[in-house]
Amino acid sequence: MKTSVVIIGGGPSGLLLGQLLHRKGIDAIVLERKTREYVLTRIRAGILETGLVSLLREAGVADRLDSEGFAHEGTIIALDDEEFHISFRDLTGTDVIVYGQTEVTRDLYDAREAADAKTIFNVEDVVINDADGDAPFVTFNVDGKSQRIDCDFVAGCDGFHGVSRQTIPLDVRKEYEKVYPFGWLGILSETPPVNEELIYSNSDRGFALCSMRNQNLSRYYIQCSLSDSPDDWTDEAFWEELRRRIPSHLAENLVAGPSIEKSIAPLRSFVTEPMRWGRLFLCGDAAHIVPPTGAKGLNTAASDVHYLYNGLLTYYQDGDSSGIDSYSEKALARVWKAERFSWATTNMLHRYPDQSEFDLKMQRAEIEFLRTNDAAQRAFAQNYVGLPY
Ligand code: RFL
Ligand code: PHB
């Protein structure tokens, strides 16, 4: 087989890049290790920046998002039994949109199928060959048969555990990592959200987040120990703990119900540099991970896709390689700012096992500064709605 761009990974990064290229007549094949059904059972991000929304519109996949997504003009930050509101709309003129990653991915798969664009599922043993030469090719096995695709470029959109990043030699690649000493236990439940806006709460029992997907689908998280397993937590224990971690007058509105999904995500900050090696480009979680506290994971993947798509477009349309040559530098400049915001917001809101009384005072002072200072709220809001591409 032959194509212009082999995209490894059929998650949101790979599918969005594929769809944008397809709309411009640039041929791409997506290779996905799992099945479509499996990819669509993963419950992940829920907050979309307007930059991602614009890209989805440009890709022609935003009809359902435009009719079913909810604009959120701000968020609630709570400390113990008190809370305050930060208005993104007043401070930045911009909202964020609540629409699940699962739905974004479904819309992209539907569009890919409607366009008859090629996706190969259940691929195994993917190997990227000659990425540092002029004629790269990708080999893999599917249904017990080995296959080869020759291409101009490879987009490594295969997430944190994929093969693309590992293809870059160790003497070229530098990795930066911070692993946090806690995880998030998340549940999805068919209950009305406790509040119309998200609540990020720092309590003496640990962090909690009240989020949602729609008026009858809530997504809640609590900080948990890394040694916990979802089976350790009955639904009743989860609801009880959540209730104790948010201001009591808000907890009064909490509607409990059976969980339809329950999982634990460890928290990590990670960046690999550079994001390009020869004709291989890394995009999204393949290159960087953020803790979910600022809702930046999917949104930062989208800004990578924006830079890579535009670089490939000028290459194919005008023979100009400046966009792909500056891809890594441009993408990383924005990635590091999202890393900083996610790290700072995680530090502000979580309880750490080794936190001293001084550390706790610093945390409270930071939240108090945010509560009372217009410039601090504006900076928070600018980061939350997404820095410009
Ligand atoms: P994905 O979504 O991980 O997709 C990568 C795809 O590549 C496939 N793959 C391979 N395919 C072929 N060959 C191989 N060798 C392959 N290896 C892997 C995988 O099966 C998969 O389909 O990365 P992508 O597209 O870059 O998208 C990034 C986002 O998914 C990610 O940033 C966010 O979901 C992060 N994230 C969250 N972000 C938020 O903003 N808010 C959240 O609440 C939130 N929760 C989460 C998350 C990430 C999680 N992970 C990765 C463990 C919760 C979890 C559990
Ligand atoms: C979610 O709804 O899953 C969500 C929202 C905001 C975050 C993280 C996760 O910061």
PDB file of all heavy atoms in Angstrom, residues 125-160:
ATOM      1  N   ASP A 125       2.105  -5.102  16.231  1.00  0.00           N
ATOM      2  CA  ASP A 125       3.533  -5.032  15.881  1.00  0.00           C
ATOM      3  C   ASP A 125       3.853  -3.927  14.868  1.00  0.00           C
ATOM      4  O   ASP A 125       4.569  -4.157  13.877  1.00  0.00           O
ATOM      5  CB  ASP A 125       4.016  -6.385  15.313  1.00  0.00           C
ATOM      6  CG  ASP A 125       3.681  -7.520  16.258  1.00  0.00           C
ATOM      7  OD1 ASP A 125       3.789  -7.315  17.476  1.00  0.00           O
ATOM      8  OD2 ASP A 125       3.280  -8.602  15.764  1.00  0.00           O
ATOM      9  N   VAL A 126       3.306  -2.744  15.109  1.00  0.00           N
ATOM     10  CA  VAL A 126       3.579  -1.620  14.200  1.00  0.00           C
ATOM     11  C   VAL A 126       5.047  -1.207  14.330  1.00  0.00           C
ATOM     12  O   VAL A 126       5.548  -1.029  15.432  1.00  0.00           O
ATOM     13  CB  VAL A 126       2.666  -0.422  14.544  1.00  0.00           C
ATOM     14  CG1 VAL A 126       3.068   0.815  13.747  1.00  0.00           C
ATOM     15  CG2 VAL A 126       1.205  -0.771  14.303  1.00  0.00           C
ATOM     16  N   VAL A 127       5.729  -1.074  13.188  1.00  0.00           N
ATOM     17  CA  VAL A 127       7.125  -0.600  13.185  1.00  0.00           C
ATOM     18  C   VAL A 127       7.240   0.534  12.172  1.00  0.00           C
ATOM     19  O   VAL A 127       6.773   0.416  11.033  1.00  0.00           O
ATOM     20  CB  VAL A 127       8.121  -1.738  12.822  1.00  0.00           C
ATOM     21  CG1 VAL A 127       9.557  -1.207  12.807  1.00  0.00           C
ATOM     22  CG2 VAL A 127       7.999  -2.907  13.800  1.00  0.00           C
ATOM     23  N   ILE A 128       7.842   1.633  12.616  1.00  0.00           N
ATOM     24  CA  ILE A 128       8.073   2.778  11.723  1.00  0.00           C
ATOM     25  C   ILE A 128       9.504   2.647  11.207  1.00  0.00           C
ATOM     26  O   ILE A 128      10.447   2.594  11.996  1.00  0.00           O
ATOM     27  CB  ILE A 128       7.904   4.108  12.489  1.00  0.00           C
ATOM     28  CG1 ILE A 128       6.513   4.191  13.127  1.00  0.00           C
ATOM     29  CG2 ILE A 128       8.168   5.303  11.577  1.00  0.00           C
ATOM     30  CD1 ILE A 128       6.376   5.280  14.185  1.00  0.00           C
ATOM     31  N   ASN A 129       9.650   2.568   9.890  1.00  0.00           N
ATOM     32  CA  ASN A 129      10.974   2.346   9.298  1.00  0.00           C
ATOM     33  C   ASN A 129      11.447   3.587   8.541  1.00  0.00           C
ATOM     34  O   ASN A 129      10.651   4.261   7.881  1.00  0.00           O
ATOM     35  CB  ASN A 129      10.913   1.179   8.296  1.00  0.00           C
ATOM     36  CG  ASN A 129      10.390  -0.095   8.938  1.00  0.00           C
ATOM     37  OD1 ASN A 129      11.149  -0.880   9.483  1.00  0.00           O
ATOM     38  ND2 ASN A 129       9.074  -0.292   8.889  1.00  0.00           N
ATOM     39  N   ASP A 130      12.750   3.838   8.611  1.00  0.00           N
ATOM     40  CA  ASP A 130      13.407   4.906   7.840  1.00  0.00           C
ATOM     41  C   ASP A 130      12.766   6.282   8.017  1.00  0.00           C
ATOM     42  O   ASP A 130      12.701   7.064   7.065  1.00  0.00           O
ATOM     43  CB  ASP A 130      13.445   4.542   6.334  1.00  0.00           C
ATOM     44  CG  ASP A 130      14.339   3.334   6.087  1.00  0.00           C
ATOM     45  OD1 ASP A 130      15.040   2.903   7.034  1.00  0.00           O
ATOM     46  OD2 ASP A 130      14.318   2.809   4.955  1.00  0.00           O
ATOM     47  N   ALA A 131      12.316   6.575   9.231  1.00  0.00           N
ATOM     48  CA  ALA A 131      11.689   7.887   9.470  1.00  0.00           C
ATOM     49  C   ALA A 131      12.693   9.007   9.267  1.00  0.00           C
ATOM     50  O   ALA A 131      12.318  10.134   8.961  1.00  0.00           O
ATOM     51  CB  ALA A 131      11.113   7.945  10.885  1.00  0.00           C
ATOM     52  N   ASP A 132      13.987   8.713   9.418  1.00  0.00           N
ATOM     53  CA  ASP A 132      14.986   9.767   9.240  1.00  0.00           C
ATOM     54  C   ASP A 132      15.518   9.820   7.809  1.00  0.00           C
ATOM     55  O   ASP A 132      16.450  10.568   7.522  1.00  0.00           O
ATOM     56  CB  ASP A 132      16.134   9.587  10.243  1.00  0.00           C
ATOM     57  CG  ASP A 132      16.798   8.220  10.112  1.00  0.00           C
ATOM     58  OD1 ASP A 132      16.156   7.303   9.552  1.00  0.00           O
ATOM     59  OD2 ASP A 132      17.953   8.076  10.555  1.00  0.00           O
ATOM     60  N   GLY A 133      14.897   9.055   6.913  1.00  0.00           N
ATOM     61  CA  GLY A 133      15.307   9.086   5.507  1.00  0.00           C
ATOM     62  C   GLY A 133      14.242   9.769   4.652  1.00  0.00           C
ATOM     63  O   GLY A 133      13.331  10.408   5.169  1.00  0.00           O
ATOM     64  N   ASP A 134      14.350   9.587   3.317  1.00  0.00           N
ATOM     65  CA  ASP A 134      13.401  10.257   2.420  1.00  0.00           C
ATOM     66  C   ASP A 134      12.194   9.401   2.086  1.00  0.00           C
ATOM     67  O   ASP A 134      11.228   9.888   1.510  1.00  0.00           O
ATOM     68  CB  ASP A 134      14.107  10.603   1.090  1.00  0.00           C
ATOM     69  CG  ASP A 134      15.092  11.728   1.297  1.00  0.00           C
ATOM     70  OD1 ASP A 134      14.891  12.499   2.266  1.00  0.00           O
ATOM     71  OD2 ASP A 134      16.075  11.807   0.525  1.00  0.00           O
ATOM     72  N   ALA A 135      12.253   8.100   2.403  1.00  0.00           N
ATOM     73  CA  ALA A 135      11.164   7.199   1.989  1.00  0.00           C
ATOM     74  C   ALA A 135      10.747   6.297   3.158  1.00  0.00           C
ATOM     75  O   ALA A 135      11.055   5.111   3.182  1.00  0.00           O
ATOM     76  CB  ALA A 135      11.627   6.361   0.801  1.00  0.00           C
ATOM     77  N   PRO A 136      10.047   6.872   4.138  1.00  0.00           N
ATOM     78  CA  PRO A 136       9.653   6.042   5.279  1.00  0.00           C
ATOM     79  C   PRO A 136       8.585   5.016   4.901  1.00  0.00           C
ATOM     80  O   PRO A 136       7.867   5.201   3.916  1.00  0.00           O
ATOM     81  CB  PRO A 136       9.085   7.058   6.273  1.00  0.00           C
ATOM     82  CG  PRO A 136       8.708   8.241   5.470  1.00  0.00           C
ATOM     83  CD  PRO A 136       9.569   8.262   4.244  1.00  0.00           C
ATOM     84  N   PHE A 137       8.497   3.944   5.666  1.00  0.00           N
ATOM     85  CA  PHE A 137       7.395   2.989   5.499  1.00  0.00           C
ATOM     86  C   PHE A 137       7.068   2.375   6.846  1.00  0.00           C
ATOM     87  O   PHE A 137       7.904   2.349   7.753  1.00  0.00           O
ATOM     88  CB  PHE A 137       7.722   1.917   4.438  1.00  0.00           C
ATOM     89  CG  PHE A 137       8.911   1.060   4.748  1.00  0.00           C
ATOM     90  CD1 PHE A 137       8.742  -0.208   5.315  1.00  0.00           C
ATOM     91  CD2 PHE A 137      10.196   1.494   4.477  1.00  0.00           C
ATOM     92  CE1 PHE A 137       9.842  -1.020   5.601  1.00  0.00           C
ATOM     93  CE2 PHE A 137      11.309   0.689   4.764  1.00  0.00           C
ATOM     94  CZ  PHE A 137      11.130  -0.567   5.326  1.00  0.00           C
ATOM     95  N   VAL A 138       5.813   1.934   6.945  1.00  0.00           N
ATOM     96  CA  VAL A 138       5.330   1.393   8.206  1.00  0.00           C
ATOM     97  C   VAL A 138       4.930  -0.056   7.966  1.00  0.00           C
ATOM     98  O   VAL A 138       4.229  -0.354   6.991  1.00  0.00           O
ATOM     99  CB  VAL A 138       4.118   2.216   8.723  1.00  0.00           C
ATOM    100  CG1 VAL A 138       3.546   1.609   9.995  1.00  0.00           C
ATOM    101  CG2 VAL A 138       4.527   3.670   8.967  1.00  0.00           C
ATOM    102  N   THR A 139       5.384  -0.949   8.823  1.00  0.00           N
ATOM    103  CA  THR A 139       4.972  -2.359   8.714  1.00  0.00           C
ATOM    104  C   THR A 139       4.161  -2.737   9.948  1.00  0.00           C
ATOM    105  O   THR A 139       4.330  -2.147  11.022  1.00  0.00           O
ATOM    106  CB  THR A 139       6.205  -3.292   8.614  1.00  0.00           C
ATOM    107  OG1 THR A 139       7.053  -3.022   9.729  1.00  0.00           O
ATOM    108  CG2 THR A 139       6.966  -3.087   7.326  1.00  0.00           C
ATOM    109  N   PHE A 140       3.275  -3.716   9.770  1.00  0.00           N
ATOM    110  CA  PHE A 140       2.421  -4.163  10.883  1.00  0.00           C
ATOM    111  C   PHE A 140       1.778  -5.489  10.493  1.00  0.00           C
ATOM    112  O   PHE A 140       1.830  -5.908   9.324  1.00  0.00           O
ATOM    113  CB  PHE A 140       1.340  -3.125  11.207  1.00  0.00           C
ATOM    114  CG  PHE A 140       0.491  -2.743  10.013  1.00  0.00           C
ATOM    115  CD1 PHE A 140      -0.751  -3.354   9.798  1.00  0.00           C
ATOM    116  CD2 PHE A 140       0.927  -1.801   9.083  1.00  0.00           C
ATOM    117  CE1 PHE A 140      -1.526  -3.019   8.698  1.00  0.00           C
ATOM    118  CE2 PHE A 140       0.151  -1.460   7.974  1.00  0.00           C
ATOM    119  CZ  PHE A 140      -1.068  -2.070   7.788  1.00  0.00           C
ATOM    120  N   ASN A 141       1.174  -6.119  11.483  1.00  0.00           N
ATOM    121  CA  ASN A 141       0.423  -7.351  11.231  1.00  0.00           C
ATOM    122  C   ASN A 141      -1.046  -7.098  11.484  1.00  0.00           C
ATOM    123  O   ASN A 141      -1.400  -6.399  12.434  1.00  0.00           O
ATOM    124  CB  ASN A 141       0.881  -8.468  12.173  1.00  0.00           C
ATOM    125  CG  ASN A 141       2.308  -8.890  11.876  1.00  0.00           C
ATOM    126  OD1 ASN A 141       2.716  -8.922  10.703  1.00  0.00           O
ATOM    127  ND2 ASN A 141       3.078  -9.185  12.905  1.00  0.00           N
ATOM    128  N   VAL A 142      -1.868  -7.673  10.630  1.00  0.00           N
ATOM    129  CA  VAL A 142      -3.305  -7.640  10.894  1.00  0.00           C
ATOM    130  C   VAL A 142      -3.910  -8.942  10.377  1.00  0.00           C
ATOM    131  O   VAL A 142      -3.532  -9.410   9.302  1.00  0.00           O
ATOM    132  CB  VAL A 142      -3.972  -6.370  10.287  1.00  0.00           C
ATOM    133  CG1 VAL A 142      -3.923  -6.332   8.779  1.00  0.00           C
ATOM    134  CG2 VAL A 142      -5.379  -6.180  10.806  1.00  0.00           C
ATOM    135  N   ASP A 143      -4.779  -9.546  11.167  1.00  0.00           N
ATOM    136  CA  ASP A 143      -5.359 -10.854  10.828  1.00  0.00           C
ATOM    137  C   ASP A 143      -4.280 -11.872  10.478  1.00  0.00           C
ATOM    138  O   ASP A 143      -4.419 -12.650   9.515  1.00  0.00           O
ATOM    139  CB  ASP A 143      -6.349 -10.734   9.655  1.00  0.00           C
ATOM    140  CG  ASP A 143      -7.522  -9.855   9.995  1.00  0.00           C
ATOM    141  OD1 ASP A 143      -7.866  -9.772  11.195  1.00  0.00           O
ATOM    142  OD2 ASP A 143      -8.090  -9.223   9.078  1.00  0.00           O
ATOM    143  N   GLY A 144      -3.154 -11.810  11.173  1.00  0.00           N
ATOM    144  CA  GLY A 144      -2.087 -12.790  10.956  1.00  0.00           C
ATOM    145  C   GLY A 144      -1.252 -12.542   9.710  1.00  0.00           C
ATOM    146  O   GLY A 144      -0.342 -13.301   9.411  1.00  0.00           O
ATOM    147  N   LYS A 145      -1.545 -11.457   8.975  1.00  0.00           N
ATOM    148  CA  LYS A 145      -0.759 -11.183   7.745  1.00  0.00           C
ATOM    149  C   LYS A 145       0.089  -9.938   7.949  1.00  0.00           C
ATOM    150  O   LYS A 145      -0.367  -8.960   8.546  1.00  0.00           O
ATOM    151  CB  LYS A 145      -1.701 -10.910   6.561  1.00  0.00           C
ATOM    152  CG  LYS A 145      -2.394 -12.132   6.040  1.00  0.00           C
ATOM    153  CD  LYS A 145      -2.912 -11.842   4.622  1.00  0.00           C
ATOM    154  CE  LYS A 145      -4.058 -12.754   4.285  1.00  0.00           C
ATOM    155  NZ  LYS A 145      -5.366 -12.160   4.319  1.00  0.00           N
ATOM    156  N   SER A 146       1.319  -9.943   7.404  1.00  0.00           N
ATOM    157  CA  SER A 146       2.136  -8.737   7.541  1.00  0.00           C
ATOM    158  C   SER A 146       1.869  -7.790   6.370  1.00  0.00           C
ATOM    159  O   SER A 146       1.609  -8.227   5.235  1.00  0.00           O
ATOM    160  CB  SER A 146       3.611  -9.102   7.652  1.00  0.00           C
ATOM    161  OG  SER A 146       3.993  -9.787   6.503  1.00  0.00           O
ATOM    162  N   GLN A 147       1.899  -6.515   6.670  1.00  0.00           N
ATOM    163  CA  GLN A 147       1.545  -5.488   5.682  1.00  0.00           C
ATOM    164  C   GLN A 147       2.601  -4.406   5.699  1.00  0.00           C
ATOM    165  O   GLN A 147       3.279  -4.198   6.708  1.00  0.00           O
ATOM    166  CB  GLN A 147       0.207  -4.827   6.065  1.00  0.00           C
ATOM    167  CG  GLN A 147      -0.936  -5.779   6.256  1.00  0.00           C
ATOM    168  CD  GLN A 147      -1.688  -6.022   4.964  1.00  0.00           C
ATOM    169  OE1 GLN A 147      -1.340  -5.475   3.921  1.00  0.00           O
ATOM    170  NE2 GLN A 147      -2.704  -6.861   5.016  1.00  0.00           N
ATOM    171  N   ARG A 148       2.667  -3.655   4.591  1.00  0.00           N
ATOM    172  CA  ARG A 148       3.610  -2.538   4.508  1.00  0.00           C
ATOM    173  C   ARG A 148       2.920  -1.356   3.829  1.00  0.00           C
ATOM    174  O   ARG A 148       2.227  -1.544   2.822  1.00  0.00           O
ATOM    175  CB  ARG A 148       4.837  -2.981   3.686  1.00  0.00           C
ATOM    176  CG  ARG A 148       5.729  -1.833   3.276  1.00  0.00           C
ATOM    177  CD  ARG A 148       6.961  -2.327   2.537  1.00  0.00           C
ATOM    178  NE  ARG A 148       7.643  -1.192   1.940  1.00  0.00           N
ATOM    179  CZ  ARG A 148       8.965  -1.086   1.821  1.00  0.00           C
ATOM    180  NH1 ARG A 148       9.747  -2.058   2.247  1.00  0.00           N
ATOM    181  NH2 ARG A 148       9.526  -0.021   1.264  1.00  0.00           N
ATOM    182  N   ILE A 149       3.101  -0.170   4.395  1.00  0.00           N
ATOM    183  CA  ILE A 149       2.582   1.043   3.739  1.00  0.00           C
ATOM    184  C   ILE A 149       3.749   2.012   3.541  1.00  0.00           C
ATOM    185  O   ILE A 149       4.419   2.390   4.499  1.00  0.00           O
ATOM    186  CB  ILE A 149       1.496   1.774   4.575  1.00  0.00           C
ATOM    187  CG1 ILE A 149       0.401   0.815   5.059  1.00  0.00           C
ATOM    188  CG2 ILE A 149       0.874   2.904   3.759  1.00  0.00           C
ATOM    189  CD1 ILE A 149      -0.670   1.478   5.931  1.00  0.00           C
ATOM    190  N   ASP A 150       3.967   2.397   2.289  1.00  0.00           N
ATOM    191  CA  ASP A 150       4.973   3.427   1.993  1.00  0.00           C
ATOM    192  C   ASP A 150       4.294   4.790   2.066  1.00  0.00           C
ATOM    193  O   ASP A 150       3.112   4.919   1.705  1.00  0.00           O
ATOM    194  CB  ASP A 150       5.542   3.198   0.585  1.00  0.00           C
ATOM    195  CG  ASP A 150       6.367   1.922   0.544  1.00  0.00           C
ATOM    196  OD1 ASP A 150       7.555   1.980   0.899  1.00  0.00           O
ATOM    197  OD2 ASP A 150       5.798   0.848   0.214  1.00  0.00           O
ATOM    198  N   CYS A 151       5.035   5.799   2.513  1.00  0.00           N
ATOM    199  CA  CYS A 151       4.382   7.098   2.724  1.00  0.00           C
ATOM    200  C   CYS A 151       5.402   8.234   2.662  1.00  0.00           C
ATOM    201  O   CYS A 151       6.616   7.982   2.619  1.00  0.00           O
ATOM    202  CB  CYS A 151       3.696   7.105   4.083  1.00  0.00           C
ATOM    203  SG  CYS A 151       4.808   6.726   5.451  1.00  0.00           S
ATOM    204  N   ASP A 152       4.885   9.474   2.697  1.00  0.00           N
ATOM    205  CA  ASP A 152       5.770  10.644   2.774  1.00  0.00           C
ATOM    206  C   ASP A 152       6.102  10.955   4.229  1.00  0.00           C
ATOM    207  O   ASP A 152       7.219  11.351   4.548  1.00  0.00           O
ATOM    208  CB  ASP A 152       5.081  11.891   2.188  1.00  0.00           C
ATOM    209  CG  ASP A 152       4.672  11.703   0.738  1.00  0.00           C
ATOM    210  OD1 ASP A 152       5.382  10.968   0.025  1.00  0.00           O
ATOM    211  OD2 ASP A 152       3.641  12.278   0.336  1.00  0.00           O
ATOM    212  N   PHE A 153       5.067  10.844   5.086  1.00  0.00           N
ATOM    213  CA  PHE A 153       5.220  11.229   6.490  1.00  0.00           C
ATOM    214  C   PHE A 153       4.479  10.239   7.390  1.00  0.00           C
ATOM    215  O   PHE A 153       3.513   9.608   6.963  1.00  0.00           O
ATOM    216  CB  PHE A 153       4.614  12.627   6.738  1.00  0.00           C
ATOM    217  CG  PHE A 153       5.269  13.710   5.930  1.00  0.00           C
ATOM    218  CD1 PHE A 153       4.626  14.241   4.815  1.00  0.00           C
ATOM    219  CD2 PHE A 153       6.526  14.190   6.269  1.00  0.00           C
ATOM    220  CE1 PHE A 153       5.232  15.235   4.054  1.00  0.00           C
ATOM    221  CE2 PHE A 153       7.149  15.180   5.513  1.00  0.00           C
ATOM    222  CZ  PHE A 153       6.498  15.705   4.405  1.00  0.00           C
ATOM    223  N   VAL A 154       4.920  10.185   8.653  1.00  0.00           N
ATOM    224  CA  VAL A 154       4.219   9.385   9.666  1.00  0.00           C
ATOM    225  C   VAL A 154       3.800  10.323  10.788  1.00  0.00           C
ATOM    226  O   VAL A 154       4.630  11.094  11.305  1.00  0.00           O
ATOM    227  CB  VAL A 154       5.132   8.278  10.244  1.00  0.00           C
ATOM    228  CG1 VAL A 154       4.399   7.467  11.310  1.00  0.00           C
ATOM    229  CG2 VAL A 154       5.652   7.365   9.134  1.00  0.00           C
ATOM    230  N   ALA A 155       2.510  10.272  11.168  1.00  0.00           N
ATOM    231  CA  ALA A 155       2.034  11.043  12.324  1.00  0.00           C
ATOM    232  C   ALA A 155       1.863  10.064  13.476  1.00  0.00           C
ATOM    233  O   ALA A 155       1.049   9.141  13.408  1.00  0.00           O
ATOM    234  CB  ALA A 155       0.722  11.748  11.992  1.00  0.00           C
ATOM    235  N   GLY A 156       2.638  10.237  14.529  1.00  0.00           N
ATOM    236  CA  GLY A 156       2.564   9.355  15.706  1.00  0.00           C
ATOM    237  C   GLY A 156       1.529   9.893  16.670  1.00  0.00           C
ATOM    238  O   GLY A 156       1.804  10.752  17.494  1.00  0.00           O
ATOM    239  N   CYS A 157       0.300   9.368  16.537  1.00  0.00           N
ATOM    240  CA  CYS A 157      -0.827   9.832  17.373  1.00  0.00           C
ATOM    241  C   CYS A 157      -1.280   8.681  18.266  1.00  0.00           C
ATOM    242  O   CYS A 157      -2.476   8.498  18.502  1.00  0.00           O
ATOM    243  CB  CYS A 157      -1.993  10.279  16.487  1.00  0.00           C
ATOM    244  SG  CYS A 157      -1.568  11.563  15.307  1.00  0.00           S
ATOM    245  N   ASP A 158      -0.327   7.868  18.731  1.00  0.00           N
ATOM    246  CA  ASP A 158      -0.680   6.602  19.379  1.00  0.00           C
ATOM    247  C   ASP A 158      -0.585   6.647  20.903  1.00  0.00           C
ATOM    248  O   ASP A 158      -0.387   5.619  21.543  1.00  0.00           O
ATOM    249  CB  ASP A 158       0.162   5.448  18.798  1.00  0.00           C
ATOM    250  CG  ASP A 158       1.646   5.769  18.718  1.00  0.00           C
ATOM    251  OD1 ASP A 158       2.025   6.916  19.016  1.00  0.00           O
ATOM    252  OD2 ASP A 158       2.430   4.872  18.364  1.00  0.00           O
ATOM    253  N   GLY A 159      -0.760   7.828  21.462  1.00  0.00           N
ATOM    254  CA  GLY A 159      -0.912   7.915  22.907  1.00  0.00           C
ATOM    255  C   GLY A 159       0.381   7.636  23.668  1.00  0.00           C
ATOM    256  O   GLY A 159       1.442   7.382  23.095  1.00  0.00           O
ATOM    257  N   PHE A 160       0.257   7.659  24.983  1.00  0.00           N
ATOM    258  CA  PHE A 160       1.443   7.563  25.854  1.00  0.00           C
ATOM    259  C   PHE A 160       2.152   6.213  25.706  1.00  0.00           C
ATOM    260  O   PHE A 160       3.367   6.128  25.833  1.00  0.00           O
ATOM    261  CB  PHE A 160       0.998   7.795  27.309  1.00  0.00           C
ATOM    262  CG  PHE A 160       2.134   7.840  28.269  1.00  0.00           C
ATOM    263  CD1 PHE A 160       3.100   8.844  28.179  1.00  0.00           C
ATOM    264  CD2 PHE A 160       2.270   6.891  29.272  1.00  0.00           C
ATOM    265  CE1 PHE A 160       4.164   8.907  29.068  1.00  0.00           C
ATOM    266  CE2 PHE A 160       3.328   6.941  30.171  1.00  0.00           C
ATOM    267  CZ  PHE A 160       4.282   7.946  30.066  1.00  0.00           C
TER     268      PHE A 160
END
